[in-house]
Amino acid sequence: MRNWNALSEEITNWISDYALENNIRSLVVGVSGGVDSAVTSTLSARTGIRTIVLNMPIHQRKHQNDLSEKHISWLKDNYNNVEERIVNLSKTYDSFVDAISGVEVSDLALANSRARLRMTTLYATAGSNGGIVVGTGNKVEDFGVGFYTKYGDGGVDISPIADLFKTEVYQIARELDIIDEIIQAAPTDGLWEDGRSDEEQLGASYEELEWAMKESKNLSNKDLSQREKEVLDIYQRLNKSNSHKMNPIPVFKLYRSD
C-alpha cells in the first residue's frame, strides 16, 4: 500500500522546488468546490509560498459555491500563507454572450467559454503577483479522455496531480483532512447551469475510466462483461476525439535547404 503522506510531501516539495528554481513568488489556484482543486490548493499551501486561491463563480449553483467557500475558509484557518480572491464572473460572462449574440454558438462552446474566462482571470492574477497558475487536472482527465477545456482549465503552468488517478487523489484528500463534504460530492466541471456531474457527461465513473485507461492495451484475450465493453468503448471514443487536446499542436514544417 502506498504511503499517501509521503506522496503528499513529495508533491509539495516538487511544487516548492519548481517555484524556487524559477523565482516564482506566488502560486495561483482556482478552487471549484471539487476534490481535485481542494487537493491541489492544499498541496500548494503546504509549500509555505504565498498561495492565492480564487473562487470564480459564473451563475454557480449555491451548493457548489458553498463548497468552494468552505474549502477556502479551511485553507485560511490552517495555512497563514493563503489569500482569498472572490471574482464573480457572471456579469462578464453575460456581457460576452450578449456580444456574440449574432454568432451561431453551441451550448458546449458557451460552457467552454466559462472555463476560458476563468483561465484569463487566473493568469491576470498570476501575472500581477509574480506567480504561476497551478493546474488541478488528474491523470484520466488530462491524458486519458481529455475531459477539460483547451486553453481553459487546460491552460496552466504546472500540474502537480496530473499523474494521479482520481482514486489516488481521493486517498491524498483523506490524508490531508480535506473537508469530507467535498470528498463525498459528485465530481462536476461546474460549466453547466443544470449542475450535471462528470459521470453524466462522460457516461462512466472515474473508477471505470481508470480501469479502461490501464487495461485498454491488454484486452485482446480477455473476456469482458457487457459493461466493461461499454466503458472501454467510451474511453477509446473520448481518447480519440479529444486527442487534439492531449497531443502537441500540429505545425507545418517548411523545407529548408540550409
Side-chain angles (χ1 to χ4, degrees):
M1 181 177 293
R2 186 180 291 276
N3 185 326
W4 300 109
N5 180 62
L7 179 59
S8 301
E9 191 66 26
E10 186 177 350
I11 298 173
T12 296
N13 290 337
W14 179 84
I15 298 170
S16 182
D17 289 345
Y18 181 89
L20 292 172
E21 289 170 6
N22 292 280
N23 298 314
I24 302 301
R25 301 199 306 274
S26 67
L27 305 171
V28 178
V29 190
V31 173
S32 67
V35 67
D36 291 334
S37 66
V39 166
T40 301
S41 56
T42 304
L43 292 171
S44 296
R46 281 161 55 99
T47 65
I49 299 168
R50 182 187 182 198
T51 300
I52 305 173
V53 291
L54 281 79
N55 180 14
M56 299 170 286
I58 302 177
H59 298 300
Q60 225 66 29
R61 289 199 160 195
K62 184 178 185 303
H63 176 66
Q64 188 177 12
N65 191 64
D66 288 348
L67 288 179
S68 298
E69 286 302 299
K70 285 181 181 180
H71 176 65
I72 292 173
S73 294
W74 178 86
L75 276 176
K76 292 168 67 178
D77 287 343
N78 286 276
Y79 302 95
N80 59 17
N81 57 313
V82 172
E83 299 175 17
E84 175 185 14
R85 302 283 190 275
I86 300 176
V87 184
N88 193 320
L89 293 169
S90 297
K91 290 183 178 179
T92 303
Y93 173 76
D94 291 343
S95 296
F96 171 73
V97 172
D98 287 342
I100 61 171
S101 59
V103 180
E104 184 177 348
V105 181
S106 69
D107 290 341
L108 178 58
L110 286 175
N112 285 328
S113 295
R114 296 184 184 215
R116 293 180 179 123
L117 286 174
R118 290 179 176 133
M119 179 275 292
T120 300
T121 305
L122 290 169
Y123 270 98
T125 303
S128 302
N129 292 278
I132 53 173
V133 176
V134 184
T136 62
N138 60 64
K139 190 181 184 91
V140 171
E141 291 173 334
D142 285 7
F143 301 110
V145 295
F147 190 61
Y148 60 88
T149 299
K150 185 186 279 190
Y151 307 120
D153 50 327
V156 302
D157 293 310
I158 61 171
S159 292
I161 65 169
D163 199 36
L164 302 182
F165 288 111
K166 189 83 168 185
T167 51
E168 294 173 321
V169 175
Y170 280 119
Q171 292 285 2
I172 289 183
R174 295 184 183 95
E175 184 67 34
L176 297 175
D177 291 325
I178 299 297
I179 297 170
D180 190 62
E181 191 177 358
I182 291 175
I183 295 175
Q184 297 300 326
T188 176
D189 58 15
L191 300 181
W192 302 88
E193 290 189 35
D194 60 11
R196 66 190 68 176
S197 69
D198 291 353
E199 185 170 347
E200 288 171 332
Q201 294 186 67
L202 292 166
S205 68
Y206 279 104
E207 187 173 359
E208 288 176 319
L209 292 170
E210 286 178 21
W211 167 82
M213 188 173 181
K214 293 173 182 176
E215 301 295 333
S216 59
K217 297 179 181 179
N218 305 302
L219 292 171
S220 57
N221 298 319
K222 291 188 178 181
D223 292 326
L224 301 179
S225 68
Q226 183 59 36
R227 180 55 182 167
E228 287 173 332
K229 291 177 182 177
E230 291 173 358
V231 171
L232 185 61
D233 180 68
I234 290 170
Y235 174 80
Q236 292 175 335
R237 173 173 51 80
L238 290 172
N239 179 268
K240 182 178 180 179
S241 64
N242 289 327
S243 62
H244 66 99
K245 301 180 187 179
M246 299 178 280
N247 294 329
I249 297 172
V251 176
F252 169 77
K253 295 293 186 179
L254 179 65
Y255 172 75
R256 300 179 187 276
S257 58
D258 55 343

